[in-house]
């Protein structure tokens, strides 16, 4: 594949014909083509409102806190997290001036030579993923150079006795910390590290991240499940709680997506092993609804009936992997969860319908699944669902200075937080749901878990 310099207008991406299985504008009834275009414009305007506030109140910092109107830097000094995470969304929305300004900031100000311990997983999905995707969209070689520098500085994280990465690595010294981690953090690195190998020709990144994924899978229980806590030095599980929620979620996502992105058969085999047992032990039905709860990884015994905002990514993965019926049913349940209070809670007991954690962190997962289902089924229902969610998203989370998380979806009390994934994911998936399908050649890319599209090597 040729990765020569291209203008940032995504020429190669948007000329690819959309396969007939995907939605066409004329197939819509619930939201017609005209309304979809209007909705895409509204999403773009709302994105810009949040972006302008970030620009005026926190430019150059990791995040804007929208209620106090103050910047926040994760590690006491900025790694430009919001600019890096948002850049490909700016490009996809056609916001050329804003994208150019942001790219210039990154090109001239970003340095990873910092004496700070960063979280390998978060920096990989947000920063490495963001830089690689923006490089593929723009052809700006400085972005690839930054990604390569970052990749090198993250590599020491994998120097454990098991090959499972430590949670934290110091970007300057290469020292590591945090032996206690989880499958999401050990197993959701290969899309980014593998793409870095593909673009630089240096195998080491792919090999280290693949080994971490394989070592995670290898430690599954006799019945085939993984827990949500593991020690990278001993390789022993420190928590046997098994689910598809935070701490495990993107591990499953990457098994399937690494097959799709790289055509890696080991990943396909690991996915095939896993999805059968996930469906067997974690799927649950309550009042005729499909949910995925928690079970013990060794016995498969149900331990809790909770599901939440993070779990709502799973319909997207099920649909992408061809399980459309399950995907549809689970999405219906997620949408019920959303509608209980007009915005989804972080955690819900799906049997009693009692909220166990009432916060809403402006998470994207339910929107992501709505977008996948729309693209893969073509059913207008999903654009209607998206319209309804976007309306309440604006109603409850918009402030005069950007979007604010909710302390409680019940009282709608706000929280002083707007994480970078709001720009990378939440607005991007809303936009792509309503924008013409040709905005992004869905069949030619794979999104990392932070919604950064990476170009596929193989398409099948
Ligand atoms: C994002 O950083 C990623 O989507 C991750 O996989 C899960 N958490 C947030 C969004 O909710």
């Amino acid at each position: 594949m040729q990765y020569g310099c291209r203008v940032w207008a995504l020429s190669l991406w948007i000329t690819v014909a959309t396969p007939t299985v995907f939605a066409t504008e004329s197939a819509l009834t619930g939201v017609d083509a005209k309304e979809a275009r209007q909705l895409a414009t509204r999403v773009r305007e709302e994105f810009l409102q949040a972006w302008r506030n970030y620009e005026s109140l926190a430019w150059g910092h990791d995040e804007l806190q929208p209620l106090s109107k103050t910047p926040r830097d994760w590690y006491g000094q900025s790694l430009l997290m919001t600019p890096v995470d948002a850049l490909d969304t700016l490009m996809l929305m056609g916001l050329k001036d804003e994208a150019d300004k942001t790219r210039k900031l990154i090109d001239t100000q970003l340095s990873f030579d910092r004496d700070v311990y960063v979280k390998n997983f978060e920096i990989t999905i947000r920063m490495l993923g963001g830089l690689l995707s923006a490089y593929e969209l723009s052809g700006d070689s400085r972005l690839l150079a930054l990604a390569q520098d970052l990749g090198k500085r993250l590599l020491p994280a994998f120097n454990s006795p098991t090959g499972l990465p430590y949670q934290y690595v110091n970007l300057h010294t290469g020292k590591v910390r945090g032996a206690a981690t989880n499958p999401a953090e050990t197993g959701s690195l290969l899309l980014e590290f593998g793409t870095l190998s593909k673009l630089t020709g240096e195998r080491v990144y792919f090999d280290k991240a693949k080994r971490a994924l394989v070592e995670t899978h290898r430690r599954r229980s006799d019945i085939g499940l993984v827990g949500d806590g593991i020690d990278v030095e001993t390789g022993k599980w420190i928590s046997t709680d098994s689910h598809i929620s935070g701490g495990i979620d993107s591990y499953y996502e990457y098994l399937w997506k690494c097959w799709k992105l790289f055509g890696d058969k080991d990943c396909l085999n690991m996915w095939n092993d896993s999805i059968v047992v996930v469906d067997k032990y974690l799927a649950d039905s309550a009042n005729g609804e499909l949910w995925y709860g928690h079970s013990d990884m060794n016995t498969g015994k149900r331990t809790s009936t909770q599901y939440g905002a993070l779990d709502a990514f799973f319909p997207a993965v099920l649909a992408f992997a061809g399980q459309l019926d399950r995907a549809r049913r689970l999405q219906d349940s997620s949408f019920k969860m959303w509608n209980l209070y007009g915005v989804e809670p972080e955690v819900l007991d799906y049997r009693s319908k009692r909220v166990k954690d009432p916060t809403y962190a402006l998470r994207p997962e339910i929107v992501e699944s709505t977008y996948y289902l729309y693209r893969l089924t073509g059913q207008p229902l999903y654009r209607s669902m998206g319209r309804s969610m976007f309306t309440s998203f604006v109603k409850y989370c918009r402030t005069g200075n950007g979007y604010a998380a909710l302390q409680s979806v019940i009282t709608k009390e706000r929280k002083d937080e707007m994480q970078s994934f709001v720009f990378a994911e939440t607005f991007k998936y809303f936009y792509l749901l309503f924008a013409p399908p040709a905005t992004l050649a869905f069949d030619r890319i794979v999104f990392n878990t932070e919604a950064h599209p990476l170009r596929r090597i193989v398409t099948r």
Side-chain angles (χ1 to χ4, degrees), residues 121-122 125-126 249-250 253 310 363-365 368 419 421 425 449-451:
F121 166 75
E122 295 291 355
I125 65 168
R126 298 182 196 223
D249 46 8
S250 47
E253 178 185 345
L310 283 165
R363 292 202 188 279
E365 286 78 3
E368 172 185 4
Q419 287 213 42
F421 57 68
E425 301 191 71
T449 193
E450 189 79 0

mmCIF file of all heavy atoms in Angstrom, residues 121-122 125-126 249-250 253 310 363-365 368 419 421 425 449-451, ligand 1:
data_model
loop_
_atom_site.group_PDB
_atom_site.id
_atom_site.type_symbol
_atom_site.label_atom_id
_atom_site.label_comp_id
_atom_site.label_asym_id
_atom_site.label_seq_id
_atom_site.Cartn_x
_atom_site.Cartn_y
_atom_site.Cartn_z
ATOM 1 N N PHE A 121 -2.087 2.635 28.017
ATOM 2 C CA PHE A 121 -3.333 2.390 27.267
ATOM 3 C C PHE A 121 -3.978 3.692 26.790
ATOM 4 O O PHE A 121 -4.279 3.861 25.604
ATOM 5 C CB PHE A 121 -4.299 1.587 28.149
ATOM 6 C CG PHE A 121 -5.717 1.562 27.649
ATOM 7 C CD1 PHE A 121 -6.081 0.789 26.561
ATOM 8 C CD2 PHE A 121 -6.713 2.307 28.287
ATOM 9 C CE1 PHE A 121 -7.401 0.766 26.089
ATOM 10 C CE2 PHE A 121 -8.035 2.290 27.835
ATOM 11 C CZ PHE A 121 -8.377 1.510 26.733
ATOM 12 N N GLU A 122 -4.169 4.624 27.705
ATOM 13 C CA GLU A 122 -4.870 5.865 27.340
ATOM 14 C C GLU A 122 -4.068 6.665 26.312
ATOM 15 O O GLU A 122 -4.626 7.243 25.379
ATOM 16 C CB GLU A 122 -5.129 6.736 28.587
ATOM 17 C CG GLU A 122 -6.086 6.129 29.604
ATOM 18 C CD GLU A 122 -7.538 6.061 29.118
ATOM 19 O OE1 GLU A 122 -7.839 6.578 28.020
ATOM 20 O OE2 GLU A 122 -8.368 5.456 29.836
ATOM 21 N N ILE A 125 -4.347 4.810 22.843
ATOM 22 C CA ILE A 125 -5.601 4.912 22.066
ATOM 23 C C ILE A 125 -5.908 6.350 21.662
ATOM 24 O O ILE A 125 -6.403 6.596 20.570
ATOM 25 C CB ILE A 125 -6.801 4.255 22.788
ATOM 26 C CG1 ILE A 125 -7.159 4.981 24.087
ATOM 27 C CG2 ILE A 125 -6.534 2.777 23.043
ATOM 28 C CD1 ILE A 125 -8.498 4.552 24.688
ATOM 29 N N ARG A 126 -5.581 7.300 22.548
ATOM 30 C CA ARG A 126 -5.932 8.700 22.243
ATOM 31 C C ARG A 126 -4.861 9.369 21.387
ATOM 32 O O ARG A 126 -5.162 9.995 20.364
ATOM 33 C CB ARG A 126 -6.124 9.509 23.530
ATOM 34 C CG ARG A 126 -7.257 8.991 24.394
ATOM 35 C CD ARG A 126 -7.448 9.852 25.643
ATOM 36 N NE ARG A 126 -8.263 9.152 26.628
ATOM 37 C CZ ARG A 126 -9.238 9.711 27.344
ATOM 38 N NH1 ARG A 126 -9.519 10.978 27.206
ATOM 39 N NH2 ARG A 126 -9.925 9.011 28.223
ATOM 40 N N ASP A 249 -13.680 -4.521 27.954
ATOM 41 C CA ASP A 249 -14.362 -4.140 26.705
ATOM 42 C C ASP A 249 -13.533 -4.171 25.419
ATOM 43 O O ASP A 249 -13.758 -4.979 24.503
ATOM 44 C CB ASP A 249 -15.027 -2.761 26.878
ATOM 45 C CG ASP A 249 -14.151 -1.693 27.545
ATOM 46 O OD1 ASP A 249 -12.959 -1.950 27.747
ATOM 47 O OD2 ASP A 249 -14.667 -0.594 27.842
ATOM 48 N N SER A 250 -12.540 -3.308 25.306
ATOM 49 C CA SER A 250 -11.840 -3.169 24.018
ATOM 50 C C SER A 250 -10.892 -4.337 23.722
ATOM 51 O O SER A 250 -10.411 -4.472 22.593
ATOM 52 C CB SER A 250 -11.116 -1.826 23.940
ATOM 53 O OG SER A 250 -10.388 -1.587 25.111
ATOM 54 N N GLU A 253 -13.028 -6.149 21.466
ATOM 55 C CA GLU A 253 -13.138 -5.320 20.253
ATOM 56 C C GLU A 253 -11.897 -5.503 19.355
ATOM 57 O O GLU A 253 -12.008 -5.641 18.140
ATOM 58 C CB GLU A 253 -13.273 -3.862 20.704
ATOM 59 C CG GLU A 253 -13.351 -2.829 19.608
ATOM 60 C CD GLU A 253 -13.369 -1.396 20.181
ATOM 61 O OE1 GLU A 253 -13.604 -1.208 21.401
ATOM 62 O OE2 GLU A 253 -13.127 -0.461 19.408
ATOM 63 N N LEU A 310 -20.530 2.033 29.137
ATOM 64 C CA LEU A 310 -19.351 1.471 28.465
ATOM 65 C C LEU A 310 -19.693 0.193 27.700
ATOM 66 O O LEU A 310 -19.133 -0.057 26.628
ATOM 67 C CB LEU A 310 -18.240 1.194 29.488
ATOM 68 C CG LEU A 310 -17.471 2.430 29.970
ATOM 69 C CD1 LEU A 310 -16.660 2.115 31.221
ATOM 70 C CD2 LEU A 310 -16.559 2.980 28.879
ATOM 71 N N ARG A 363 -20.189 9.864 27.185
ATOM 72 C CA ARG A 363 -19.579 8.712 26.487
ATOM 73 C C ARG A 363 -20.187 8.489 25.103
ATOM 74 O O ARG A 363 -21.380 8.708 24.878
ATOM 75 C CB ARG A 363 -19.747 7.438 27.319
ATOM 76 C CG ARG A 363 -18.947 7.456 28.590
ATOM 77 C CD ARG A 363 -18.702 6.053 29.105
ATOM 78 N NE ARG A 363 -18.099 6.090 30.422
ATOM 79 C CZ ARG A 363 -16.820 6.285 30.678
ATOM 80 N NH1 ARG A 363 -15.983 6.468 29.680
ATOM 81 N NH2 ARG A 363 -16.358 6.289 31.910
ATOM 82 N N PRO A 364 -19.345 7.931 24.206
ATOM 83 C CA PRO A 364 -19.771 7.744 22.815
ATOM 84 C C PRO A 364 -20.341 6.373 22.471
ATOM 85 O O PRO A 364 -20.916 6.193 21.397
ATOM 86 C CB PRO A 364 -18.436 7.895 22.071
ATOM 87 C CG PRO A 364 -17.433 7.301 23.020
ATOM 88 C CD PRO A 364 -17.913 7.689 24.397
ATOM 89 N N GLU A 365 -20.154 5.361 23.328
ATOM 90 C CA GLU A 365 -20.359 3.977 22.872
ATOM 91 C C GLU A 365 -21.731 3.720 22.272
ATOM 92 O O GLU A 365 -21.859 3.022 21.258
ATOM 93 C CB GLU A 365 -20.092 2.998 24.032
ATOM 94 C CG GLU A 365 -18.616 2.816 24.388
ATOM 95 C CD GLU A 365 -17.994 3.932 25.212
ATOM 96 O OE1 GLU A 365 -18.732 4.891 25.588
ATOM 97 O OE2 GLU A 365 -16.789 3.882 25.496
ATOM 98 N N GLU A 368 -21.803 5.122 18.848
ATOM 99 C CA GLU A 368 -20.959 4.280 17.980
ATOM 100 C C GLU A 368 -21.774 3.083 17.460
ATOM 101 O O GLU A 368 -21.784 2.782 16.261
ATOM 102 C CB GLU A 368 -19.763 3.806 18.822
ATOM 103 C CG GLU A 368 -18.858 2.784 18.208
ATOM 104 C CD GLU A 368 -17.791 2.317 19.221
ATOM 105 O OE1 GLU A 368 -17.820 2.746 20.404
ATOM 106 O OE2 GLU A 368 -16.918 1.537 18.823
ATOM 107 N N GLN A 419 -14.100 15.361 28.539
ATOM 108 C CA GLN A 419 -12.893 14.610 28.161
ATOM 109 C C GLN A 419 -12.640 14.702 26.657
ATOM 110 O O GLN A 419 -13.551 14.964 25.867
ATOM 111 C CB GLN A 419 -13.054 13.148 28.563
ATOM 112 C CG GLN A 419 -12.960 12.937 30.050
ATOM 113 C CD GLN A 419 -12.335 11.592 30.387
ATOM 114 O OE1 GLN A 419 -11.368 11.153 29.782
ATOM 115 N NE2 GLN A 419 -12.895 10.934 31.372
ATOM 116 N N PHE A 421 -12.352 12.500 24.499
ATOM 117 C CA PHE A 421 -13.092 11.581 23.628
ATOM 118 C C PHE A 421 -14.428 12.166 23.147
ATOM 119 O O PHE A 421 -15.045 11.641 22.224
ATOM 120 C CB PHE A 421 -13.301 10.196 24.265
ATOM 121 C CG PHE A 421 -14.011 10.167 25.602
ATOM 122 C CD1 PHE A 421 -15.353 10.497 25.708
ATOM 123 C CD2 PHE A 421 -13.339 9.761 26.741
ATOM 124 C CE1 PHE A 421 -16.015 10.437 26.930
ATOM 125 C CE2 PHE A 421 -13.982 9.699 27.977
ATOM 126 C CZ PHE A 421 -15.330 10.042 28.066
ATOM 127 N N GLU A 425 -14.737 11.067 19.613
ATOM 128 C CA GLU A 425 -15.705 9.994 19.392
ATOM 129 C C GLU A 425 -17.162 10.450 19.358
ATOM 130 O O GLU A 425 -17.867 10.185 18.389
ATOM 131 C CB GLU A 425 -15.582 8.936 20.496
ATOM 132 C CG GLU A 425 -14.223 8.290 20.592
ATOM 133 C CD GLU A 425 -14.262 7.086 21.515
ATOM 134 O OE1 GLU A 425 -14.851 6.070 21.133
ATOM 135 O OE2 GLU A 425 -13.713 7.172 22.630
ATOM 136 N N THR A 449 -10.341 2.083 19.257
ATOM 137 C CA THR A 449 -11.374 2.194 20.293
ATOM 138 C C THR A 449 -11.646 3.644 20.699
ATOM 139 O O THR A 449 -12.563 3.920 21.458
ATOM 140 C CB THR A 449 -11.033 1.314 21.521
ATOM 141 O OG1 THR A 449 -12.180 1.210 22.354
ATOM 142 C CG2 THR A 449 -9.857 1.875 22.305
ATOM 143 N N GLU A 450 -10.860 4.565 20.166
ATOM 144 C CA GLU A 450 -11.072 5.998 20.401
ATOM 145 C C GLU A 450 -11.634 6.666 19.130
ATOM 146 O O GLU A 450 -11.550 7.881 18.976
ATOM 147 C CB GLU A 450 -9.731 6.621 20.834
ATOM 148 C CG GLU A 450 -9.774 8.051 21.325
ATOM 149 C CD GLU A 450 -10.241 8.248 22.754
ATOM 150 O OE1 GLU A 450 -10.556 7.262 23.443
ATOM 151 O OE2 GLU A 450 -10.297 9.410 23.182
ATOM 152 N N ALA A 451 -12.178 5.849 18.228
ATOM 153 C CA ALA A 451 -12.810 6.336 16.978
ATOM 154 C C ALA A 451 -11.841 6.966 15.994
ATOM 155 O O ALA A 451 -12.249 7.785 15.164
ATOM 156 C CB ALA A 451 -13.961 7.297 17.279
HETATM 157 C C1 LIG B 1 -12.674 6.053 25.369
HETATM 158 O O1 LIG B 1 -11.443 6.520 25.807
HETATM 159 C C2 LIG B 1 -12.539 4.750 24.626
HETATM 160 O O2 LIG B 1 -13.674 4.554 23.834
HETATM 161 C C3 LIG B 1 -12.320 3.568 25.538
HETATM 162 O O3 LIG B 1 -12.310 2.364 24.832
HETATM 163 C C4 LIG B 1 -13.407 3.513 26.581
HETATM 164 N N1 LIG B 1 -13.607 4.763 27.271
HETATM 165 C C5 LIG B 1 -13.633 5.997 26.528
HETATM 166 C C6 LIG B 1 -15.012 6.465 26.099
HETATM 167 O O4 LIG B 1 -16.038 6.160 26.927
#
